[in-house]
Amino acid sequence: MAMLWKFMRVAKYSKTALSPKVKVRGIPTHSRHSSSKSVPSDFAANAPCSNTMELLGKSYPQDDYSNVTEKILSKVGKDLHNRKHHPLWLIKEQVKEHFYKHYLGRRGTPLFSVYDRLSPVVTVQQNFDSLLIPQNHASRRKEDNYYLNRDHMLRAHTSAHQWDLIHSGLDAFLAVGDVYRRDTIDNTHYPVFHQMEGVRLFSCHELFSSIKDGEGLQLFEQGHRTAHKQECHTMEAVRLVEFNLKQVLTKLMTHIFGDGLQVRWVDCYFPFTHPSFEMEINFQGEWMEVLGCGVMEQQLVNS
């Protein structure tokens, strides 16, 4: 079983797309990175009268889906979340420090590995198909995304890397990166923003070992999908994962925003989690959404 959450967002974005003022400080970094490398921002954009686009050292043929503007291209590769002492870097390091300190594996090493240098260019399959997003879903529209061509795009969320990271054998990780959506710029929207999300997979032993007389509890059953669970999950398993998920994220938000935080959970919908929730915090007298999360669709894990 798995739980998924996106727990950092620097700009709000359109509700048609898939679905956080903080005190920050510098924190030493000890993360394990993916093998992909960061890139400089002075790359070559597509040349006039060319049918190909050069981006991050690779060429992409253009077609009727190509809609990335030079302004957006100029943002790709800046990697603000990896620039030491930048506000985004400070928040990322604060979150990493919290997870490294509080969630350890059996050998005392950090349970969660961190991937913050993954390329923002992904395939449509990675961004949508691997997450069970239907072909006719509104989030796929050209009006809401930046496509290099019909097969490649600038990622609309860090979840685009989820399937590949799980497929590589990881069962607990944080993914950080710049993401792109075609939003009209206002005081809460910008077409380039950043996300950080976490995924954890549970085995039967990991989920039930701390439960008294939990030896007979099971992760799976042949049941029915309801508003509270997937058809293949037992209610006991879902309740424990949901409790763990909300507890972890509440502790994280308290770490970032401080003690005395008012939190409320709102039921919502994502194609790749069920049940799904949004966390809202009371900030300066108003409820502000700071993250979305949920129990990963088992089909994603099985695939």
Side-chain angles (χ1 to χ4, degrees), residues 8 10 20-27 85-95 97 255-258:
M8 186 179 81
V10 181
K21 184 173 197 186
V22 296
K23 175 183 178 183
V24 296
R25 61 183 183 274
I27 297 167
H85 303 309
H86 188 280
L88 289 170
W89 180 88
L90 292 172
I91 299 173
K92 181 190 72 172
E93 294 302 312
Q94 192 171 359
V95 174
E97 179 205 41
H255 172 68
I256 293 176
F257 287 93

Side-chain angles (χ1 to χ4, degrees), residues 110-128:
L111 179 65
F112 287 82
S113 52
V114 177
Y115 297 85
D116 56 6
R117 298 180 183 274
L118 300 168
S119 174
V121 179
V122 297
T123 64
V124 172
Q125 194 278 336
Q126 288 174 302
N127 199 80
F128 295 122

Side-chain angles (χ1 to χ4, degrees), residues 8-65:
M8 186 179 81
R9 188 178 67 200
V10 181
K12 293 185 179 180
Y13 44 86
S14 169
K15 287 295 184 180
T16 60
L18 294 179
S19 45
K21 184 173 197 186
V22 296
K23 175 183 178 183
V24 296
R25 61 183 183 274
I27 297 167
T29 177
H30 310 283
S31 69
R32 288 184 287 161
H33 299 302
S34 66
S35 58
S36 58
K37 300 178 180 180
S38 59
V39 295
S41 59
D42 54 342
F43 56 87
N46 55 302
C49 302
S50 172
N51 290 324
T52 63
M53 180 185 300
E54 297 289 333
L55 184 58
L56 305 183
K58 294 184 178 181
S59 297
Y60 299 91
Q62 298 188 74
D63 55 28
D64 59 326
Y65 253 64

Side-chain angles (χ1 to χ4, degrees), residues 4-6 9 13 15 17-19 131-134 137 157 225 266-279 289 291-295 297:
L4 164 71
W5 61 94
K6 294 188 182 127
R9 188 178 67 200
Y13 44 86
K15 287 295 184 180
L18 294 179
S19 45
L131 296 168
L132 308 179
I133 298 170
H137 197 278
H157 44 195
R225 178 172 290 242
V266 180
D267 293 339
C268 66
Y269 165 78
F270 301 112
F272 39 85
T273 57
H274 181 74
S276 304
F277 315 96
E278 289 177 344
M279 175 196 274
E289 178 199 338
L291 61 89
C293 61
V295 180
E297 286 283 355

Side-chain angles (χ1 to χ4, degrees), residues 9-283:
R9 188 178 67 200
V10 181
K12 293 185 179 180
Y13 44 86
S14 169
K15 287 295 184 180
T16 60
L18 294 179
S19 45
K21 184 173 197 186
V22 296
K23 175 183 178 183
V24 296
R25 61 183 183 274
I27 297 167
T29 177
H30 310 283
S31 69
R32 288 184 287 161
H33 299 302
S34 66
S35 58
S36 58
K37 300 178 180 180
S38 59
V39 295
S41 59
D42 54 342
F43 56 87
N46 55 302
C49 302
S50 172
N51 290 324
T52 63
M53 180 185 300
E54 297 289 333
L55 184 58
L56 305 183
K58 294 184 178 181
S59 297
Y60 299 91
Q62 298 188 74
D63 55 28
D64 59 326
Y65 253 64
S66 304
N67 66 352
V68 185
T69 65
E70 290 191 12
K71 184 67 174 180
I72 295 301
L73 286 173
S74 71
K75 308 293 185 182
V76 180
K78 288 185 177 295
D79 285 343
L80 300 181
H81 60 288
N82 288 326
R83 289 191 181 183
K84 195 170 184 179
H85 303 309
H86 188 280
L88 289 170
W89 180 88
L90 292 172
I91 299 173
K92 181 190 72 172
E93 294 302 312
Q94 192 171 359
V95 174
K96 282 168 49 181
E97 179 205 41
H98 176 78
F99 274 85
Y100 284 174
K101 179 179 179 180
H102 294 284
Y103 305 100
L104 302 176
R106 286 177 292 181
R107 299 181 180 180
T109 56
L111 179 65
F112 287 82
S113 52
V114 177
Y115 297 85
D116 56 6
R117 298 180 183 274
L118 300 168
S119 174
V121 179
V122 297
T123 64
V124 172
Q125 194 278 336
Q126 288 174 302
N127 199 80
F128 295 122
D129 299 337
S130 72
L131 296 168
L132 308 179
I133 298 170
Q135 290 289 333
N136 60 350
H137 197 278
S139 64
R140 291 178 178 257
R141 297 184 308 177
K142 288 178 61 176
E143 293 81 5
D144 291 328
N145 298 282
Y146 288 104
Y147 286 91
L148 304 184
N149 52 43
R150 283 185 172 270
D151 298 320
H152 295 85
M153 62 186 297
L154 297 178
R155 61 187 168 206
H157 44 195
T158 48
S159 300
H161 304 290
Q162 182 178 290
W163 190 93
D164 294 312
L165 292 172
I166 294 175
H167 188 68
S168 71
L170 297 173
D171 56 14
F173 58 84
L174 310 178
V176 194
D178 44 325
V179 296
Y180 303 80
R181 297 189 188 162
R182 295 186 67 183
D183 270 332
T184 301
I185 298 174
D186 58 26
N187 62 344
T188 59
H189 293 79
Y190 195 72
V192 185
F193 56 104
H194 291 71
Q195 284 185 337
M196 186 171 190
E197 74 177 64
V199 170
R200 182 176 180 187
L201 307 180
F202 288 90
S203 67
C204 189
H205 172 75
E206 289 171 324
L207 195 58
F208 297 130
S209 60
S210 61
I211 305 300
K212 184 179 180 180
D213 301 323
E215 295 82 2
L217 297 177
Q218 299 294 322
L219 292 176
F220 304 108
E221 67 176 9
Q222 295 296 323
H224 301 281
R225 178 172 290 242
T226 70
H228 305 290
K229 63 181 284 295
Q230 297 173 39
E231 55 271 34
C232 58
H233 293 163
T234 64
M235 184 57 73
E236 294 83 4
V238 173
R239 290 302 187 196
L240 283 173
V241 170
E242 180 181 333
F243 175 80
N244 182 288
L245 174 64
K246 292 180 177 180
Q247 184 183 55
V248 166
L249 295 177
T250 300
K251 287 181 177 179
L252 174 63
M253 289 300 112
T254 299
H255 172 68
I256 293 176
F257 287 93
D259 295 328
L261 193 66
Q262 287 183 274
V263 172
R264 70 182 184 186
W265 295 95
V266 180
D267 293 339
C268 66
Y269 165 78
F270 301 112
F272 39 85
T273 57
H274 181 74
S276 304
F277 315 96
E278 289 177 344
M279 175 196 274
E280 296 181 351
I281 65 170
N282 195 301
F283 183 71

